[in-house]
């Protein structure tokens, strides 16, 4: 009898202890796969930046004797060691930037860079810019090719005196559109005959009082278009002549 009572107590105690344990927490619901996906990012629209022409650039360097096989010789009024080569950007008649070369006296390189920077920024067109030595130093051929150039050891047109070009202190710009015109209105270049009058509208044409003339005047250079009698519309020089 005692043994049966003891067994009954053990069973009751076991049931009582089991009832005191906390119930297991229910399993969480299965996650919704849509909530696990990272939010879709909207691509940022990038507006292309238009690429414009390069900025004006110029470089001044010493010029070697072999770069001037025709335009310089012993006896010229300035030694080639006093000349400088300017490699610079210019705006072409094709509405594109180009790189040209010009030789001037070392004392006027700042003047030339200042003016031609303005011409480029204005998109004022120049046909080409090569050393006159490309034309074997022949001024007529360089002009006929509408070449913008500076130094050339030669006398002034119609004179036995040195031209300012022989000192590297003069530049001729677009000589076809801006010809040398005699007092009677003639010009030696057939391709320039329709450009002998001023004022005249046209690309690369220089007129009295225009911004090209003013730009040179601001650095102390004079324009041949203001000469009395003969007009040299292509010609700018330091101090005239």
């Amino acid at each position: 009898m005692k043994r049966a009572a003891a067994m009954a107590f053990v069973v009751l105690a076991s049931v009582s202890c089991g009832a005191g344990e906390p119930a297991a927490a229910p399993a969480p619901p299965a996650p919704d796969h849509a909530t696990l996906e990272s939010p879709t990012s909207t691509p940022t629209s990038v507006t292309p930046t238009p690429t414009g022409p390069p900025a004006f650039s110029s470089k001044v360097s010493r010029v070697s004797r072999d770069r001037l096989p025709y335009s310089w010789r012993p006896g010229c009024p300035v030694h080639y060691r006093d000349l400088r080569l300017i490699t610079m950007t210019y705006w072409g008649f094709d509405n594109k930037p180009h790189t040209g070369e010009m030789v001037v006296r070392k004392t006027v390189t700042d003047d030339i860079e200042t003016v031609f920077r303005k011409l480029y920024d204005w998109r004022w067109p120049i046909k080409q810019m090569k050393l006159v030595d490309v034309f074997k130093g022949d001024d007529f051929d360089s002009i006929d090719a509408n070449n913008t150039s500076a130094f050339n050891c030669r006398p002034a047109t119609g004179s036995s005196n040195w031209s300012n070009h022989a000192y590297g202190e003069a530049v001729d710009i677009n000589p076809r559109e801006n010809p040398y015109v005699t007092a009677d209105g003639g010009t030696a270049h057939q391709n320039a005959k329709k450009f002998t009058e001023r004022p005249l509208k046209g690309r690369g044409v220089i007129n009295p009082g225009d911004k090209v003339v003013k730009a040179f005047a601001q650095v102390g250079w004079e324009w041949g278009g203001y000469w009395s009698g003969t007009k040299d519309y292509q010609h700018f020089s330091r101090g005239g002549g």
Side-chain angles (χ1 to χ4, degrees), residues 66-150:
D66 60 2
R67 290 300 310 275
L68 310 173
Y70 302 101
S71 63
W72 187 88
R73 59 189 179 277
C76 290
V78 61
H79 200 280
Y80 75 86
R81 294 191 186 92
D82 292 324
L83 300 172
R84 293 292 182 268
L85 173 68
I86 304 179
T87 305
M88 59 184 164
T89 331
Y90 69 91
W91 193 253
F93 272 75
D94 58 357
N95 289 320
K96 296 178 181 179
H98 299 270
T99 300
E101 292 184 318
M102 182 180 294
V103 169
V104 297
R105 197 167 190 167
K106 65 181 181 181
T107 53
V108 301
T109 56
D110 287 348
D111 295 348
I112 293 296
E113 287 179 294
T114 296
V115 172
F116 279 85
R117 179 186 297 276
K118 290 180 179 179
L119 299 187
Y120 181 79
D121 289 346
W122 292 333
R123 304 295 186 255
W124 196 87
I126 293 173
K127 181 61 178 178
Q128 62 175 327
M129 186 187 297
K130 300 177 180 179
L131 304 191
V132 73
D133 293 87
V134 172
F135 305 91
K136 297 184 177 181
D138 191 311
D139 186 58
F140 188 95
D141 288 350
S142 179
I143 289 174
D144 230 30
N146 204 12
N147 183 51
T148 293
S149 66

Side-chain angles (χ1 to χ4, degrees), residues 22-238:
D32 185 350
H33 288 293
T35 63
L36 296 179
E37 294 178 359
S38 58
T40 303
S41 59
T42 304
T44 304
S45 177
V46 178
T47 304
T49 302
T51 303
F56 175 84
S57 65
S58 61
K59 178 184 178 182
V60 178
S61 56
R62 292 180 181 275
V63 59
S64 60
R65 174 70 179 89
D66 60 2
R67 290 300 310 275
L68 310 173
Y70 302 101
S71 63
W72 187 88
R73 59 189 179 277
C76 290
V78 61
H79 200 280
Y80 75 86
R81 294 191 186 92
D82 292 324
L83 300 172
R84 293 292 182 268
L85 173 68
I86 304 179
T87 305
M88 59 184 164
T89 331
Y90 69 91
W91 193 253
F93 272 75
D94 58 357
N95 289 320
K96 296 178 181 179
H98 299 270
T99 300
E101 292 184 318
M102 182 180 294
V103 169
V104 297
R105 197 167 190 167
K106 65 181 181 181
T107 53
V108 301
T109 56
D110 287 348
D111 295 348
I112 293 296
E113 287 179 294
T114 296
V115 172
F116 279 85
R117 179 186 297 276
K118 290 180 179 179
L119 299 187
Y120 181 79
D121 289 346
W122 292 333
R123 304 295 186 255
W124 196 87
I126 293 173
K127 181 61 178 178
Q128 62 175 327
M129 186 187 297
K130 300 177 180 179
L131 304 191
V132 73
D133 293 87
V134 172
F135 305 91
K136 297 184 177 181
D138 191 311
D139 186 58
F140 188 95
D141 288 350
S142 179
I143 289 174
D144 230 30
N146 204 12
N147 183 51
T148 293
S149 66
F151 174 75
N152 193 8
C153 185
R154 63 173 179 81
T157 303
S159 171
S160 59
N161 297 324
W162 289 117
S163 165
N164 269 23
H165 287 282
Y167 294 88
E169 295 181 346
V171 58
D172 290 338
I173 301 177
N174 290 345
R176 174 177 176 264
E177 288 77 17
N178 305 291
Y180 180 93
V181 181
T182 58
D184 61 3
T187 182
H189 298 270
Q190 294 296 319
N191 63 359
K193 288 189 179 296
K194 65 180 182 179
F195 296 100
T196 56
E197 299 292 332
R198 288 297 185 274
L200 180 69
K201 290 184 178 180
R203 299 184 71 221
V205 172
I206 302 169
N207 282 293
D210 71 10
K211 60 186 179 182
V212 179
V213 176
K214 290 178 180 177
F216 273 99
Q218 287 170 357
V219 295
W221 288 50
E222 298 178 15
W223 182 46
Y226 286 146
W227 294 353
S228 60
T230 296
K231 306 290 186 183
D232 199 354
Y233 297 123
Q234 65 198 262
H235 182 87
F236 291 92
S237 59
R238 189 177 190 179

